[in-house]
């Protein structure tokens, strides 16, 4: 029974969209948003957190499909991602392929060494430009800010 409960509890994923705003004083604001609030943005920030194992991969696939849009720049933030297994990596890999096939681009930010190694081992990092991969830093949102700067360039410097 414990195993079944663990499997059920870990099949849900911590997946959200984040909007980024900078006010006139230069203060930055990151806010979790519903997809409907960000779907018209020039780039979409997807935040993945927690653990992504095989039992959550179907939910990950569903969420990524819901977020998909042709000719879109996606920033996938992985700062709070603790672990990812091969099945979840495969879903992420399929999403990257789909985005690229539809004239879009994917950037990864907040990568820890172990997540980077897992993605590298599977070949996912080979599909992403080197200047679109941002490792985690001590300051929270540092790599996300760097990825957003690059996304703004690629998306035409217009974020909404």
């Amino acid at each position: 029974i414990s195993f079944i409960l663990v499997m059920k509890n870990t099949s849900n994923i911590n997946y959200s969209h984040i909007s980024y705003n900078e006010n006139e004083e230069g203060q930055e604001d990151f806010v979790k948003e519903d997809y409907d609030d960000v779907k018209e943005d020039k780039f979409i920030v997807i935040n993945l957190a927690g653990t992504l194992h095989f039992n959550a991969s179907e939910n990950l696939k569903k969420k990524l499909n819901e977020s998909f849009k042709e000719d879109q720049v996606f920033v996938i933030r992985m700062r709070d991602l603790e672990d990812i297994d091969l099945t979840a990596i495969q879903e992420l890999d399929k999403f990257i392929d789909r985005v690229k096939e539809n004239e879009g681009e994917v950037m990864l930010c907040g990568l820890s060494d172990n997540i980077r190694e897992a993605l590298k081992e599977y070949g996912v990092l080979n599909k992403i430009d080197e200047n679109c991969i941002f490792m985690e830093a001590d300051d929270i949102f540092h790599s996300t800010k760097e990825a957003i700067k690059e996304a703004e360039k690629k998306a035409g410097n217009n974020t909404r």
Side-chain angles (χ1 to χ4, degrees):
I1 293 175
S2 294
F3 177 74
I4 292 170
L5 290 174
V6 167
M7 295 301 287
K8 182 180 183 293
N9 289 338
T10 59
S11 67
N12 293 323
I13 62 171
N14 191 341
Y15 182 105
S16 59
H17 295 94
I18 296 177
S19 69
Y20 167 78
N21 297 305
E22 188 174 325
N23 65 23
E24 293 172 5
E25 291 85 38
Q27 295 174 333
E28 299 151 336
D29 191 23
F30 291 90
V31 180
K32 286 187 179 181
E33 301 272 9
D34 290 329
Y35 177 68
D36 288 338
D37 296 327
V38 299
K39 68 182 178 183
E40 298 303 321
D41 289 2
K42 295 292 181 186
F43 59 88
I44 295 176
V45 181
I46 296 171
N47 187 57
L48 298 176
T51 302
L52 290 176
H53 288 161
F54 68 94
N55 54 323
S57 63
E58 194 60 37
N59 286 332
L60 176 62
K61 177 182 179 179
K62 179 183 173 199
K63 293 286 190 180
L64 289 170
N65 284 336
E66 290 170 359
S67 298
F68 176 77
K69 187 176 172 184
E70 289 185 9
D71 194 27
Q72 183 69 48
V73 176
F74 292 91
V75 175
I76 300 178
R77 183 176 186 269
M78 300 180 156
R79 165 77 183 209
D80 298 320
L81 190 61
E82 297 165 10
D83 193 27
I84 188 168
D85 75 359
L86 180 59
T87 309
I89 290 172
Q90 288 173 332
E91 291 305 328
L92 190 58
D93 188 54
K94 290 176 194 174
F95 178 75
I96 292 168
D97 287 344
R98 184 177 178 201
V99 169
K100 292 181 85 118
E101 288 168 3
N102 287 278
E103 307 303 319
E105 187 153 2
V106 174
M107 299 181 178
L108 302 176
C109 65
L111 294 176
S112 63
D113 288 335
N114 67 323
I115 299 296
R116 181 183 56 79
E117 283 305 312
L119 296 175
K120 181 179 178 182
E121 185 176 318
Y122 187 70
V124 172
L125 296 186
N126 295 336
K127 297 179 177 188
I128 298 176
D129 291 337
E130 202 172 293
N131 64 339
C132 295
I133 300 170
F134 303 87
M135 298 300 292
E136 71 180 348
D138 290 337
D139 297 336
I140 192 160
F141 287 109
H142 177 78
S143 66
T144 306
K145 291 175 198 174
E146 294 300 310
I148 286 172
K149 286 179 192 174
E150 189 66 25
E152 286 174 337
K153 289 179 200 172
K154 293 185 181 292
N157 294 327
N158 221 352
T159 59
R160 277 203 180 211

